[in-house]
């Protein structure tokens, strides 16, 4: 009996403390509420519900000793999990920053001692890929990208986005010999480890920006520019007056450099939400597989913002 009494007393002390805390939290609003007047205006049903709640609190007060520690422990676990996730995020960000800085140093050295390996053939392939995407002849992607191979009995294709929801993207996939689809295409495809193979790997990783997009996903749309002739093909300028002739003043040709066994590709693109941009990407291969395609630098050549909000 004494133990039960102690539990009951401790439970009510905890409830009293919680009640006092809630009073302090609502201190600023108490003057406006006029609690007594509102209470007198309540109908009988509301009063019964309120008194019923008080009676239930009295009966089950000892359960506070169970739930309060549970809530505190749960909050502590959630806080610990959140802290761990934040630490992992920062660790990953720092790792990517270091990797980008390393790529930038290697690229700077490579440019000084090597020549640009991107020629007319590379640009012809890029233009052919653009036309194929525009005409939606997706099965021809594999024919154009001759340095990219799918295993025997499989082929590369595109699944167009559905026109529903707030945004959707089209996706590359590999169709297996048994008819199943695999969307981890870069885990399956093999690449020729040459400058042309690196160029085609780059084109394939950037293809998502040119495939059909729906609604909010259009923020990610890009018009890639491989030569000055492509400026005329930029599809829209968001209704704002921009003289396209300005863009002809910039160096737009793509570049491919080899250094330390890796490939460095730079290419220009136009976006309604940024303008004319040149991106720099490190392409890494390992055992004829694409290990990474890391964008380590982005340079805005001509700034533009269409003002559209989807």
């Amino acid at each position: 009996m004494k133990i039960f009494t102690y539990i009951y007393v401790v439970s009510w002390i905890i409830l009293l403390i919680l009640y006092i805390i809630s009073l302090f939290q609502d201190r600023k609003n108490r003057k406006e509420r006029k609690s007594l007047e509102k209470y007198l205006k309540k109908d009988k049903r509301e009063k019964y519900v309120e008194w019923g709640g008080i009676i239930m609190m009295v009966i089950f007060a000892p359960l506070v000793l169970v739930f309060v520690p549970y809530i505190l422990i749960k909050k502590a676990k959630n806080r610990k999990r959140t802290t761990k996730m934040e630490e992992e995020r920062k660790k990953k960000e720092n790792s990517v920053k270091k990797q980008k800085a390393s790529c930038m140093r290697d690229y700077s050295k490579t440019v000084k001692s090597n020549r640009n390996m991107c020629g007319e053939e590379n640009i012809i392939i890029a233009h052919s890929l653009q036309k194929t995407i525009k005409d939606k002849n997706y099965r021809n992607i594999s024919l154009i990208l001759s340095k990219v191979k799918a295993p025997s009995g499989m082929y590369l294709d595109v699944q167009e986005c559905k026109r529903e929801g707030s945004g959707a993207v089209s996706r590359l996939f590999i169709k297996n010999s048994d008819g199943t689809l695999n969307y981890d295409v870069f885990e399956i495809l093999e690449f020729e480890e040459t400058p042309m193979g690196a160029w085609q790997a780059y084109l394939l990783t950037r293809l998502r920006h040119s495939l059909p997009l729906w609604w909010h996903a259009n923020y990610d749309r890009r018009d890639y520019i491989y030569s000055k002739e492509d400026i005329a093909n930029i599809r829209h300028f968001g209704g704002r007056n921009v003289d396209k002739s300005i863009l002809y003043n910039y160096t737009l040709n793509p570049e491919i450099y080899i250094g330390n066994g890796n490939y460095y590709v730079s290419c220009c693109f136009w976006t309604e939400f940024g303008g004319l941009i040149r991106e720099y990407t490190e392409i890494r291969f390992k055992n004829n597989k694409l290990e990474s395609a890391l964008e380590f630098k982005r340079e805005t050549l001509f700034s533009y913002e269409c003002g559209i909000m989807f």
Side-chain angles (χ1 to χ4, degrees):
M1 187 66 183
K2 285 184 179 180
I3 294 174
F4 180 78
T5 303
Y6 291 148
I7 292 174
Y8 217 81
V9 170
V10 172
S11 301
W12 269 104
I13 290 172
I14 293 172
L15 285 173
L16 182 60
I17 292 170
L18 293 174
Y19 177 68
I20 292 171
I21 291 172
S22 69
L23 286 178
F24 276 107
Q25 288 176 340
D26 294 338
R27 189 176 180 181
K28 293 181 180 179
N29 300 321
R30 265 184 292 165
K31 291 181 180 180
E32 299 175 5
R33 284 203 305 264
K34 297 181 180 178
S35 302
L36 182 59
E37 291 181 16
K38 286 191 175 181
Y39 177 74
L40 293 173
K41 290 178 182 178
K42 290 179 181 177
D43 58 28
K44 289 184 178 180
R45 179 189 285 179
E46 288 180 305
K47 291 178 183 178
Y48 289 148
V49 170
E50 188 172 299
W51 277 105
I54 293 172
I55 293 170
M56 294 295 287
M57 284 179 62
V58 172
I59 295 173
F60 295 104
L63 293 177
V64 172
L65 292 177
V66 176
F67 286 109
V68 169
Y70 169 76
I71 292 170
L72 293 175
I73 291 170
K74 189 175 181 180
K75 282 186 177 180
K77 285 184 177 179
N78 289 338
R79 191 160 46 245
K80 186 177 180 181
R81 189 184 300 113
T82 302
T83 302
K84 186 178 180 181
M85 289 174 63
E86 183 64 18
E87 288 175 351
E88 289 177 353
R89 184 188 65 79
K90 287 182 179 179
K91 186 177 179 181
K92 187 175 181 180
E93 282 184 355
N94 290 333
S95 177
V96 172
K97 283 181 181 179
K98 288 180 181 179
Q99 191 176 352
K100 286 184 177 182
S102 177
C103 289
M104 193 65 229
R105 288 193 298 269
D106 292 341
Y107 168 76
S108 298
K109 292 178 183 177
T110 300
V111 171
K112 291 178 182 178
S113 57
N114 293 277
R115 66 182 181 86
N116 180 12
M117 302 292 290
C118 186
E120 187 62 30
E121 185 181 1
N122 300 78
I123 295 174
I124 290 173
I125 288 172
H127 283 157
S128 297
L129 188 60
Q130 278 183 331
K131 187 176 187 306
T132 293
I133 297 304
K134 183 179 179 181
D135 297 339
K136 298 187 177 183
N137 295 324
Y138 302 129
R139 291 291 296 274
N140 289 340
I141 293 174
S142 296
L143 299 176
I144 296 168
L145 304 181
S146 60
K147 307 303 179 182
V148 183
K149 300 292 183 185
S152 179
M154 303 181 184
Y155 66 84
L156 181 66
D157 207 339
V158 171
Q159 184 180 74
E160 287 195 1
C161 62
K162 294 181 179 180
R163 293 177 172 270
E164 59 185 31
S166 60
V169 299
S170 300
R171 303 170 68 187
L172 289 168
F173 69 86
I174 297 286
K175 190 164 187 177
N176 301 318
S177 55
D178 60 0
T180 58
L181 307 184
N182 193 323
Y183 297 95
D184 296 323
V185 297
F186 294 105
E187 297 291 329
I188 299 172
L189 294 173
E190 295 184 352
F191 299 82
E192 183 179 278
E193 297 186 23
T194 61
M196 180 59 79
W199 173 245
Q200 293 186 13
Y202 170 80
L203 293 177
L204 198 58
T205 60
R206 275 22 186 197
L207 202 59
R208 68 183 188 277
H209 300 291
S210 304
L211 292 171
L213 299 168
W214 171 245
W215 203 359
H216 289 289
N218 279 284
Y219 285 119
D220 207 26
R221 178 170 297 286
R222 298 176 182 177
D223 291 310
Y224 274 88
I225 299 174
Y226 307 108
S227 64
K228 294 193 175 185
E229 288 73 21
D230 292 328
I231 292 174
N233 298 325
I234 293 176
R235 285 166 284 183
H236 45 78
F237 275 75
R240 293 193 175 185
N241 293 324
V242 175
D243 184 3
K244 285 187 180 182
S245 64
I246 296 173
L247 305 183
Y248 289 98
N249 297 327
Y250 298 96
T251 301
L252 302 174
N253 288 348
E255 297 176 345
I256 305 171
Y257 291 96
I258 309 172
N260 296 329
N262 300 319
Y263 299 87
Y264 301 94
V265 178
S266 72
C267 189
C268 292
F269 65 85
W270 173 266
T271 167
E272 295 283 83
F273 308 95
L276 181 64
I277 295 171
R278 179 177 284 273
E279 66 175 357
Y280 297 78
T281 306
E282 182 196 60
I283 302 293
R284 287 191 181 191
F285 293 120
K286 187 175 182 180
N287 299 326
N288 295 111
K289 292 292 183 70
L290 181 64
E291 185 177 26
S292 68
L294 176 66
E295 181 189 321
F296 61 89
K297 181 185 176 183
R298 183 176 291 194
E299 181 182 5
T300 300
L301 305 179
F302 178 82
S303 183
Y304 175 83
E305 179 65 40
C306 68
I308 293 174
M309 295 186 69
F310 291 101

